[in-house]
Short mmCIF file of all heavy atoms in Angstrom, two decimals:
data_model
loop_
_atom_site.label_atom_id
_atom_site.label_comp_id
_atom_site.label_asym_id
_atom_site.label_seq_id
_atom_site.Cartn_x
_atom_site.Cartn_y
_atom_site.Cartn_z
N VAL B 12 -19.92 -9.34 -4.59
CA VAL B 12 -20.03 -8.28 -5.61
C VAL B 12 -18.81 -7.42 -5.49
O VAL B 12 -18.46 -6.90 -4.43
CB VAL B 12 -21.31 -7.47 -5.42
CG1 VAL B 12 -21.35 -6.34 -6.45
CG2 VAL B 12 -22.54 -8.29 -5.50
N PRO B 13 -18.08 -7.24 -6.64
CA PRO B 13 -16.87 -6.37 -6.58
C PRO B 13 -17.24 -4.92 -6.27
O PRO B 13 -18.28 -4.44 -6.61
CB PRO B 13 -16.28 -6.53 -7.95
CG PRO B 13 -17.40 -6.93 -8.85
CD PRO B 13 -18.36 -7.71 -7.97
N GLN B 14 -16.32 -4.23 -5.59
CA GLN B 14 -16.49 -2.77 -5.34
C GLN B 14 -16.04 -2.02 -6.55
O GLN B 14 -16.59 -0.98 -6.89
CB GLN B 14 -15.70 -2.38 -4.12
CG GLN B 14 -16.18 -3.04 -2.85
CD GLN B 14 -17.62 -2.61 -2.52
OE1 GLN B 14 -17.91 -1.43 -2.51
NE2 GLN B 14 -18.48 -3.53 -2.23
N TRP B 15 -14.96 -2.49 -7.18
CA TRP B 15 -14.42 -1.89 -8.39
C TRP B 15 -13.48 -2.85 -9.07
O TRP B 15 -12.97 -3.76 -8.41
CB TRP B 15 -13.72 -0.53 -8.13
CG TRP B 15 -12.99 -0.43 -6.83
CD1 TRP B 15 -13.45 0.11 -5.68
CD2 TRP B 15 -11.66 -0.86 -6.52
NE1 TRP B 15 -12.50 0.07 -4.69
CE2 TRP B 15 -11.37 -0.55 -5.20
CE3 TRP B 15 -10.66 -1.47 -7.27
CZ2 TRP B 15 -10.19 -0.83 -4.58
CZ3 TRP B 15 -9.46 -1.77 -6.67
CH2 TRP B 15 -9.22 -1.41 -5.38
N VAL B 16 -13.25 -2.67 -10.30
CA VAL B 16 -12.30 -3.45 -11.09
C VAL B 16 -11.30 -2.47 -11.75
O VAL B 16 -11.72 -1.56 -12.47
CB VAL B 16 -12.99 -4.28 -12.20
CG1 VAL B 16 -12.00 -5.06 -13.05
CG2 VAL B 16 -14.00 -5.27 -11.59
N VAL B 17 -10.02 -2.64 -11.47
CA VAL B 17 -8.99 -1.76 -12.01
C VAL B 17 -8.38 -2.43 -13.22
O VAL B 17 -7.99 -3.62 -13.15
CB VAL B 17 -7.90 -1.47 -10.95
CG1 VAL B 17 -6.84 -0.57 -11.54
CG2 VAL B 17 -8.54 -0.83 -9.72
N THR B 18 -8.30 -1.74 -14.35
CA THR B 18 -7.67 -2.27 -15.57
C THR B 18 -6.55 -1.32 -15.96
O THR B 18 -6.35 -0.28 -15.34
CB THR B 18 -8.71 -2.40 -16.73
OG1 THR B 18 -8.98 -1.07 -17.21
CG2 THR B 18 -10.00 -3.04 -16.28
N ASP B 19 -5.92 -1.67 -17.05
CA ASP B 19 -4.86 -0.77 -17.53
C ASP B 19 -5.39 0.45 -18.21
O ASP B 19 -4.68 1.38 -18.56
CB ASP B 19 -3.89 -1.54 -18.49
CG ASP B 19 -4.60 -2.19 -19.65
OD1 ASP B 19 -5.84 -2.39 -19.59
OD2 ASP B 19 -3.93 -2.49 -20.67
N LEU B 20 -6.73 0.53 -18.38
CA LEU B 20 -7.36 1.69 -19.02
C LEU B 20 -8.12 2.54 -18.00
O LEU B 20 -8.28 3.75 -18.22
CB LEU B 20 -8.34 1.24 -20.11
CG LEU B 20 -7.71 0.49 -21.25
CD1 LEU B 20 -8.79 0.02 -22.22
CD2 LEU B 20 -6.68 1.35 -21.99
N GLY B 21 -8.59 1.94 -16.93
CA GLY B 21 -9.35 2.75 -15.94
C GLY B 21 -9.96 1.90 -14.88
O GLY B 21 -9.50 0.78 -14.60
N ILE B 22 -11.07 2.38 -14.29
CA ILE B 22 -11.71 1.72 -13.21
C ILE B 22 -13.19 1.54 -13.53
O ILE B 22 -13.87 2.50 -13.92
CB ILE B 22 -11.55 2.54 -11.88
CG1 ILE B 22 -10.08 2.70 -11.55
CG2 ILE B 22 -12.34 1.85 -10.76
CD1 ILE B 22 -9.82 3.61 -10.40
N LEU B 23 -13.64 0.28 -13.34
CA LEU B 23 -15.04 -0.02 -13.55
C LEU B 23 -15.69 -0.21 -12.18
O LEU B 23 -15.10 -0.82 -11.29
CB LEU B 23 -15.20 -1.30 -14.36
CG LEU B 23 -14.53 -1.27 -15.76
CD1 LEU B 23 -14.12 -2.64 -16.19
CD2 LEU B 23 -15.55 -0.71 -16.79
N THR B 24 -16.91 0.28 -12.03
CA THR B 24 -17.67 0.08 -10.82
C THR B 24 -19.03 -0.49 -11.16
O THR B 24 -19.58 -0.20 -12.23
CB THR B 24 -17.84 1.41 -10.01
OG1 THR B 24 -18.42 2.38 -10.87
CG2 THR B 24 -16.49 1.90 -9.50
N PRO B 25 -19.58 -1.33 -10.28
CA PRO B 25 -20.88 -1.94 -10.61
C PRO B 25 -22.04 -0.90 -10.46
O PRO B 25 -22.06 -0.12 -9.48
CB PRO B 25 -21.05 -3.07 -9.60
CG PRO B 25 -20.09 -2.74 -8.49
CD PRO B 25 -19.01 -1.86 -9.05
N ASP B 26 -22.92 -0.90 -11.39
CA ASP B 26 -24.17 -0.11 -11.31
C ASP B 26 -24.99 -0.62 -10.13
O ASP B 26 -25.18 -1.81 -9.98
CB ASP B 26 -24.93 -0.21 -12.62
CG ASP B 26 -26.20 0.58 -12.60
OD1 ASP B 26 -27.21 0.02 -12.14
OD2 ASP B 26 -26.18 1.73 -13.08
N ALA B 27 -25.54 0.29 -9.30
CA ALA B 27 -26.21 -0.12 -8.09
C ALA B 27 -27.49 -0.92 -8.41
O ALA B 27 -27.83 -1.81 -7.71
CB ALA B 27 -26.58 1.12 -7.29
N ALA B 28 -28.15 -0.62 -9.51
CA ALA B 28 -29.41 -1.27 -9.88
C ALA B 28 -29.19 -2.59 -10.64
O ALA B 28 -29.90 -3.57 -10.40
CB ALA B 28 -30.27 -0.37 -10.68
N THR B 29 -28.19 -2.64 -11.53
CA THR B 29 -28.05 -3.77 -12.43
C THR B 29 -26.83 -4.63 -12.12
O THR B 29 -26.67 -5.69 -12.72
CB THR B 29 -27.99 -3.33 -13.88
OG1 THR B 29 -26.78 -2.54 -14.07
CG2 THR B 29 -29.18 -2.47 -14.28
N CYS B 30 -25.88 -4.11 -11.38
CA CYS B 30 -24.59 -4.76 -11.12
C CYS B 30 -23.67 -4.80 -12.34
O CYS B 30 -22.61 -5.37 -12.31
CB CYS B 30 -24.69 -6.14 -10.51
SG CYS B 30 -25.43 -6.11 -8.87
N GLU B 31 -24.10 -4.17 -13.46
CA GLU B 31 -23.27 -4.09 -14.66
C GLU B 31 -22.08 -3.22 -14.40
O GLU B 31 -22.19 -2.17 -13.77
CB GLU B 31 -24.08 -3.49 -15.80
CG GLU B 31 -23.28 -3.26 -17.08
CD GLU B 31 -24.05 -2.54 -18.15
OE1 GLU B 31 -25.24 -2.14 -17.93
OE2 GLU B 31 -23.48 -2.31 -19.22
N LEU B 32 -20.87 -3.67 -14.84
CA LEU B 32 -19.72 -2.84 -14.65
C LEU B 32 -19.74 -1.63 -15.64
O LEU B 32 -19.98 -1.81 -16.80
CB LEU B 32 -18.45 -3.70 -14.88
CG LEU B 32 -18.17 -4.73 -13.86
CD1 LEU B 32 -16.97 -5.59 -14.25
CD2 LEU B 32 -17.91 -4.10 -12.47
N VAL B 33 -19.51 -0.48 -15.03
CA VAL B 33 -19.56 0.81 -15.74
C VAL B 33 -18.24 1.52 -15.63
O VAL B 33 -17.64 1.53 -14.51
CB VAL B 33 -20.71 1.68 -15.15
CG1 VAL B 33 -20.79 3.03 -15.81
CG2 VAL B 33 -22.04 0.94 -15.28
N MET B 34 -17.74 2.07 -16.71
CA MET B 34 -16.48 2.82 -16.64
C MET B 34 -16.72 4.14 -15.86
O MET B 34 -17.47 4.99 -16.30
CB MET B 34 -15.96 3.14 -18.05
CG MET B 34 -14.60 3.82 -18.10
SD MET B 34 -13.26 2.87 -17.40
CE MET B 34 -13.01 1.62 -18.62
N SER B 35 -16.09 4.23 -14.73
CA SER B 35 -16.29 5.43 -13.86
C SER B 35 -15.06 6.30 -13.79
O SER B 35 -15.16 7.47 -13.43
CB SER B 35 -16.69 4.98 -12.45
OG SER B 35 -15.73 4.12 -11.94
N ALA B 36 -13.90 5.74 -14.15
CA ALA B 36 -12.67 6.58 -14.21
C ALA B 36 -11.72 5.99 -15.26
O ALA B 36 -11.67 4.81 -15.47
CB ALA B 36 -11.98 6.50 -12.81
N MET B 37 -11.06 6.89 -15.91
CA MET B 37 -10.06 6.51 -16.93
C MET B 37 -8.70 7.04 -16.52
O MET B 37 -8.59 8.11 -15.91
CB MET B 37 -10.45 7.04 -18.31
CG MET B 37 -11.71 6.37 -18.85
SD MET B 37 -12.15 6.82 -20.52
CE MET B 37 -12.31 8.59 -20.46
N HIS B 38 -7.65 6.27 -16.86
CA HIS B 38 -6.30 6.72 -16.56
C HIS B 38 -5.91 7.80 -17.53
O HIS B 38 -6.47 7.95 -18.64
CB HIS B 38 -5.32 5.52 -16.64
CG HIS B 38 -5.66 4.41 -15.74
ND1 HIS B 38 -6.01 4.59 -14.38
CD2 HIS B 38 -5.69 3.07 -15.91
CE1 HIS B 38 -6.25 3.44 -13.82
NE2 HIS B 38 -6.07 2.52 -14.74
N PRO B 39 -4.95 8.69 -17.15
CA PRO B 39 -4.52 9.78 -17.99
C PRO B 39 -4.15 9.33 -19.38
O PRO B 39 -3.48 8.31 -19.54
CB PRO B 39 -3.30 10.38 -17.24
CG PRO B 39 -3.53 9.99 -15.83
CD PRO B 39 -4.19 8.64 -15.85
N GLY B 40 -4.64 10.05 -20.36
CA GLY B 40 -4.34 9.79 -21.78
C GLY B 40 -5.20 8.71 -22.45
O GLY B 40 -5.06 8.51 -23.64
N VAL B 41 -6.03 8.05 -21.68
CA VAL B 41 -6.91 7.01 -22.23
C VAL B 41 -8.18 7.67 -22.81
O VAL B 41 -8.73 8.58 -22.20
CB VAL B 41 -7.26 5.98 -21.16
CG1 VAL B 41 -8.31 4.97 -21.67
CG2 VAL B 41 -6.03 5.25 -20.72
N THR B 42 -8.66 7.18 -23.93
CA THR B 42 -9.88 7.74 -24.54
C THR B 42 -11.06 6.76 -24.39
O THR B 42 -10.85 5.55 -24.16
CB THR B 42 -9.69 7.98 -26.03
OG1 THR B 42 -9.52 6.71 -26.72
CG2 THR B 42 -8.48 8.91 -26.28
N ARG B 43 -12.23 7.27 -24.51
CA ARG B 43 -13.45 6.45 -24.50
C ARG B 43 -13.37 5.40 -25.63
O ARG B 43 -13.80 4.28 -25.43
CB ARG B 43 -14.69 7.31 -24.63
CG ARG B 43 -15.05 8.08 -23.38
CD ARG B 43 -16.28 8.93 -23.59
NE ARG B 43 -16.62 9.62 -22.36
CZ ARG B 43 -17.73 9.46 -21.68
NH1 ARG B 43 -18.65 8.65 -22.13
NH2 ARG B 43 -17.92 10.11 -20.54
N GLU B 44 -12.87 5.86 -26.76
CA GLU B 44 -12.79 4.93 -27.92
C GLU B 44 -11.92 3.70 -27.58
O GLU B 44 -12.20 2.59 -27.94
CB GLU B 44 -12.29 5.68 -29.13
CG GLU B 44 -13.22 6.69 -29.68
CD GLU B 44 -13.28 8.01 -28.91
OE1 GLU B 44 -12.33 8.29 -28.10
OE2 GLU B 44 -14.23 8.78 -29.09
N GLN B 45 -10.78 3.95 -26.91
CA GLN B 45 -9.91 2.85 -26.49
C GLN B 45 -10.64 1.90 -25.59
O GLN B 45 -10.50 0.68 -25.69
CB GLN B 45 -8.66 3.37 -25.75
CG GLN B 45 -7.63 4.01 -26.65
CD GLN B 45 -6.51 4.58 -25.87
OE1 GLN B 45 -6.71 5.55 -25.07
NE2 GLN B 45 -5.32 4.04 -25.97
N CYS B 46 -11.36 2.43 -24.63
CA CYS B 46 -12.08 1.60 -23.69
C CYS B 46 -13.12 0.76 -24.39
O CYS B 46 -13.23 -0.44 -24.16
CB CYS B 46 -12.78 2.49 -22.63
SG CYS B 46 -11.62 3.32 -21.56
N VAL B 47 -13.91 1.31 -25.27
CA VAL B 47 -14.92 0.59 -26.02
C VAL B 47 -14.25 -0.52 -26.85
O VAL B 47 -14.72 -1.66 -26.86
CB VAL B 47 -15.75 1.55 -26.87
CG1 VAL B 47 -16.64 0.79 -27.85
CG2 VAL B 47 -16.61 2.48 -25.99
N ALA B 48 -13.21 -0.18 -27.57
CA ALA B 48 -12.50 -1.16 -28.42
C ALA B 48 -11.89 -2.31 -27.65
O ALA B 48 -11.74 -3.40 -28.19
CB ALA B 48 -11.44 -0.41 -29.27
N SER B 49 -11.57 -2.08 -26.40
CA SER B 49 -10.94 -3.09 -25.57
C SER B 49 -11.87 -3.90 -24.71
O SER B 49 -11.43 -4.73 -23.89
CB SER B 49 -9.85 -2.41 -24.69
OG SER B 49 -8.89 -1.79 -25.47
N THR B 50 -13.16 -3.64 -24.83
CA THR B 50 -14.14 -4.31 -23.94
C THR B 50 -15.00 -5.27 -24.73
O THR B 50 -15.40 -4.97 -25.86
CB THR B 50 -15.01 -3.21 -23.23
OG1 THR B 50 -14.18 -2.30 -22.57
CG2 THR B 50 -15.95 -3.86 -22.25
N GLY B 51 -15.24 -6.44 -24.19
CA GLY B 51 -16.00 -7.47 -24.89
C GLY B 51 -17.53 -7.33 -24.76
O GLY B 51 -18.23 -8.27 -25.12
N TRP B 52 -17.99 -6.22 -24.29
CA TRP B 52 -19.44 -6.00 -24.22
C TRP B 52 -19.70 -4.51 -24.53
O TRP B 52 -18.80 -3.71 -24.68
CB TRP B 52 -20.02 -6.41 -22.84
CG TRP B 52 -19.61 -5.53 -21.67
CD1 TRP B 52 -20.30 -4.41 -21.25
CD2 TRP B 52 -18.47 -5.66 -20.82
NE1 TRP B 52 -19.63 -3.84 -20.16
CE2 TRP B 52 -18.54 -4.62 -19.89
CE3 TRP B 52 -17.46 -6.58 -20.70
CZ2 TRP B 52 -17.57 -4.47 -18.89
CZ3 TRP B 52 -16.49 -6.44 -19.72
CH2 TRP B 52 -16.55 -5.40 -18.83
N SER B 53 -20.95 -4.18 -24.59
CA SER B 53 -21.36 -2.83 -24.87
C SER B 53 -21.12 -1.97 -23.64
O SER B 53 -21.94 -1.90 -22.75
CB SER B 53 -22.85 -2.80 -25.28
OG SER B 53 -23.14 -1.71 -26.08
N LEU B 54 -19.95 -1.37 -23.57
CA LEU B 54 -19.51 -0.65 -22.37
C LEU B 54 -20.33 0.61 -22.13
O LEU B 54 -20.56 1.42 -23.02
CB LEU B 54 -18.03 -0.29 -22.51
CG LEU B 54 -17.39 0.47 -21.35
CD1 LEU B 54 -17.41 -0.38 -20.08
CD2 LEU B 54 -15.99 0.88 -21.69
N ARG B 55 -20.78 0.76 -20.92
CA ARG B 55 -21.44 1.99 -20.43
C ARG B 55 -20.45 2.83 -19.68
O ARG B 55 -19.54 2.30 -19.03
CB ARG B 55 -22.64 1.67 -19.56
CG ARG B 55 -23.85 1.16 -20.28
CD ARG B 55 -25.08 0.97 -19.41
NE ARG B 55 -25.21 1.95 -18.36
CZ ARG B 55 -25.54 1.64 -17.08
NH1 ARG B 55 -25.75 0.41 -16.72
NH2 ARG B 55 -25.66 2.59 -16.20
N PHE B 56 -20.67 4.12 -19.73
CA PHE B 56 -19.83 5.07 -18.99
C PHE B 56 -20.72 5.77 -17.95
O PHE B 56 -21.88 6.04 -18.18
CB PHE B 56 -19.21 6.12 -19.94
CG PHE B 56 -18.16 5.57 -20.85
CD1 PHE B 56 -18.54 5.00 -22.04
CD2 PHE B 56 -16.87 5.66 -20.52
CE1 PHE B 56 -17.56 4.47 -22.88
CE2 PHE B 56 -15.89 5.13 -21.34
CZ PHE B 56 -16.24 4.55 -22.54
N ALA B 57 -20.11 6.02 -16.80
CA ALA B 57 -20.83 6.74 -15.75
C ALA B 57 -21.17 8.17 -16.25
O ALA B 57 -20.55 8.68 -17.20
CB ALA B 57 -19.94 6.84 -14.51
N ASP B 58 -22.16 8.76 -15.62
CA ASP B 58 -22.55 10.11 -16.02
C ASP B 58 -21.37 11.08 -15.88
O ASP B 58 -21.19 11.96 -16.67
CB ASP B 58 -23.72 10.64 -15.18
CG ASP B 58 -25.00 9.87 -15.52
OD1 ASP B 58 -25.12 9.32 -16.60
OD2 ASP B 58 -25.90 9.86 -14.64
N GLU B 59 -20.57 10.83 -14.87
CA GLU B 59 -19.38 11.67 -14.60
C GLU B 59 -18.14 10.74 -14.54
O GLU B 59 -17.94 10.04 -13.55
CB GLU B 59 -19.57 12.39 -13.29
CG GLU B 59 -18.80 13.70 -13.23
CD GLU B 59 -19.12 14.54 -11.98
OE1 GLU B 59 -20.30 14.75 -11.75
OE2 GLU B 59 -18.16 14.88 -11.31
N VAL B 60 -17.36 10.74 -15.61
CA VAL B 60 -16.14 9.92 -15.64
C VAL B 60 -14.99 10.81 -15.24
O VAL B 60 -14.79 11.88 -15.87
CB VAL B 60 -15.91 9.31 -17.04
CG1 VAL B 60 -14.64 8.54 -17.09
CG2 VAL B 60 -17.09 8.45 -17.43
N VAL B 61 -14.22 10.42 -14.24
CA VAL B 61 -13.09 11.21 -13.76
C VAL B 61 -11.79 10.61 -14.32
O VAL B 61 -11.76 9.50 -14.80
CB VAL B 61 -13.04 11.26 -12.25
CG1 VAL B 61 -14.30 11.90 -11.67
CG2 VAL B 61 -12.88 9.89 -11.64
N VAL B 62 -10.74 11.39 -14.27
CA VAL B 62 -9.42 10.90 -14.62
C VAL B 62 -8.67 10.56 -13.36
O VAL B 62 -8.62 11.36 -12.39
CB VAL B 62 -8.62 11.96 -15.41
CG1 VAL B 62 -7.24 11.52 -15.75
CG2 VAL B 62 -9.38 12.32 -16.70
N THR B 63 -8.06 9.37 -13.36
CA THR B 63 -7.31 8.92 -12.15
C THR B 63 -6.02 9.72 -11.98
O THR B 63 -5.51 10.29 -12.97
CB THR B 63 -6.96 7.43 -12.24
OG1 THR B 63 -6.14 7.20 -13.40
CG2 THR B 63 -8.19 6.54 -12.35
N GLU B 64 -5.54 9.77 -10.77
CA GLU B 64 -4.27 10.44 -10.50
C GLU B 64 -3.16 9.56 -11.03
O GLU B 64 -3.23 8.31 -10.85
CB GLU B 64 -4.11 10.65 -8.98
CG GLU B 64 -5.03 11.67 -8.41
CD GLU B 64 -4.72 13.06 -8.83
OE1 GLU B 64 -3.51 13.43 -9.00
OE2 GLU B 64 -5.68 13.84 -9.04
N PRO B 65 -2.12 10.14 -11.60
CA PRO B 65 -0.99 9.30 -12.00
C PRO B 65 -0.32 8.70 -10.79
O PRO B 65 -0.40 9.25 -9.66
CB PRO B 65 -0.01 10.32 -12.66
CG PRO B 65 -0.76 11.54 -12.84
CD PRO B 65 -1.95 11.55 -11.95
N PRO B 66 0.30 7.48 -10.95
CA PRO B 66 0.96 6.87 -9.79
C PRO B 66 2.16 7.72 -9.31
O PRO B 66 2.82 8.37 -10.07
CB PRO B 66 1.44 5.52 -10.34
CG PRO B 66 1.48 5.70 -11.82
CD PRO B 66 0.50 6.72 -12.16
N THR B 67 2.43 7.63 -8.03
CA THR B 67 3.57 8.30 -7.45
C THR B 67 4.84 7.49 -7.73
O THR B 67 4.75 6.30 -8.11
CB THR B 67 3.39 8.42 -5.91
OG1 THR B 67 3.40 7.11 -5.32
CG2 THR B 67 2.14 9.15 -5.52
N ALA B 68 5.96 8.09 -7.50
CA ALA B 68 7.22 7.36 -7.71
C ALA B 68 7.29 6.12 -6.81
O ALA B 68 7.72 5.05 -7.25
CB ALA B 68 8.38 8.28 -7.44
N ARG B 69 6.83 6.26 -5.60
CA ARG B 69 6.83 5.13 -4.66
C ARG B 69 5.95 3.96 -5.16
O ARG B 69 6.32 2.78 -5.06
CB ARG B 69 6.35 5.60 -3.29
CG ARG B 69 6.38 4.53 -2.24
CD ARG B 69 6.00 5.10 -0.88
NE ARG B 69 6.00 4.00 0.10
CZ ARG B 69 5.57 4.13 1.28
NH1 ARG B 69 5.03 5.26 1.70
NH2 ARG B 69 5.60 3.13 2.13
N GLU B 70 4.77 4.32 -5.69
CA GLU B 70 3.88 3.27 -6.25
C GLU B 70 4.50 2.61 -7.48
O GLU B 70 4.39 1.37 -7.60
CB GLU B 70 2.54 3.93 -6.60
CG GLU B 70 1.72 4.35 -5.38
CD GLU B 70 0.53 5.24 -5.73
OE1 GLU B 70 0.58 5.95 -6.78
OE2 GLU B 70 -0.42 5.29 -4.91
N LEU B 71 5.12 3.37 -8.33
CA LEU B 71 5.78 2.79 -9.51
C LEU B 71 6.89 1.86 -9.09
O LEU B 71 7.04 0.77 -9.64
CB LEU B 71 6.33 3.87 -10.41
CG LEU B 71 5.25 4.65 -11.22
CD1 LEU B 71 5.90 5.78 -11.93
CD2 LEU B 71 4.53 3.73 -12.18
N ASP B 72 7.66 2.26 -8.08
CA ASP B 72 8.72 1.39 -7.57
C ASP B 72 8.17 0.07 -7.05
O ASP B 72 8.76 -1.01 -7.31
CB ASP B 72 9.53 2.11 -6.47
CG ASP B 72 10.41 3.22 -6.98
OD1 ASP B 72 10.65 3.26 -8.22
OD2 ASP B 72 10.80 4.05 -6.16
N ALA B 73 7.05 0.11 -6.33
CA ALA B 73 6.43 -1.09 -5.80
C ALA B 73 5.96 -2.00 -6.91
O ALA B 73 6.18 -3.22 -6.86
CB ALA B 73 5.25 -0.74 -4.90
N VAL B 74 5.36 -1.48 -7.93
CA VAL B 74 4.91 -2.28 -9.09
C VAL B 74 6.14 -2.89 -9.79
O VAL B 74 6.13 -4.08 -10.14
CB VAL B 74 4.08 -1.44 -10.05
CG1 VAL B 74 3.75 -2.20 -11.34
CG2 VAL B 74 2.76 -1.05 -9.39
N ARG B 75 7.14 -2.11 -10.00
CA ARG B 75 8.34 -2.65 -10.66
C ARG B 75 8.99 -3.76 -9.85
O ARG B 75 9.47 -4.74 -10.40
CB ARG B 75 9.34 -1.50 -10.93
CG ARG B 75 8.79 -0.60 -12.00
CD ARG B 75 9.79 0.55 -12.29
NE ARG B 75 9.21 1.43 -13.32
CZ ARG B 75 9.05 2.77 -13.21
NH1 ARG B 75 9.45 3.38 -12.09
NH2 ARG B 75 8.53 3.47 -14.16
N ALA B 76 8.96 -3.59 -8.57
CA ALA B 76 9.54 -4.63 -7.70
C ALA B 76 8.72 -5.92 -7.84
O ALA B 76 9.30 -7.04 -7.83
CB ALA B 76 9.59 -4.18 -6.24
N LEU B 77 7.42 -5.82 -7.89
CA LEU B 77 6.60 -7.03 -8.10
C LEU B 77 6.86 -7.68 -9.42
O LEU B 77 6.89 -8.91 -9.54
CB LEU B 77 5.12 -6.64 -7.99
CG LEU B 77 4.59 -6.24 -6.62
CD1 LEU B 77 3.15 -5.71 -6.72
CD2 LEU B 77 4.63 -7.48 -5.72
N GLN B 78 7.05 -6.89 -10.48
CA GLN B 78 7.27 -7.42 -11.82
C GLN B 78 8.62 -8.18 -11.91
O GLN B 78 8.75 -9.14 -12.65
CB GLN B 78 7.26 -6.30 -12.88
CG GLN B 78 5.88 -5.75 -13.10
CD GLN B 78 5.85 -4.58 -14.02
OE1 GLN B 78 6.86 -3.84 -14.14
NE2 GLN B 78 4.77 -4.37 -14.74
N SER B 79 9.58 -7.72 -11.17
CA SER B 79 10.91 -8.39 -11.26
C SER B 79 11.08 -9.52 -10.24
O SER B 79 12.08 -10.22 -10.25
CB SER B 79 12.03 -7.33 -11.00
OG SER B 79 11.94 -6.74 -9.72
N ALA B 80 10.05 -9.74 -9.42
CA ALA B 80 10.15 -10.84 -8.41
C ALA B 80 9.89 -12.18 -9.06
O ALA B 80 9.28 -12.37 -10.01
CB ALA B 80 9.09 -10.59 -7.32
#
């Protein structure tokens, strides 16, 4: 069972009772409407959806290095 799924829109975590993936965090600037439109099922949102921290310069450098490899 996954602990979480990270997407370009946010983070999904499994519901403890049903194992259904639920949007628990969204990246800065992302809307609920974008998440719903980009999901192939009837997306549920956690009672408390948080906004993720933006990546640090070091993290961005690491991702860019992976992309150019």
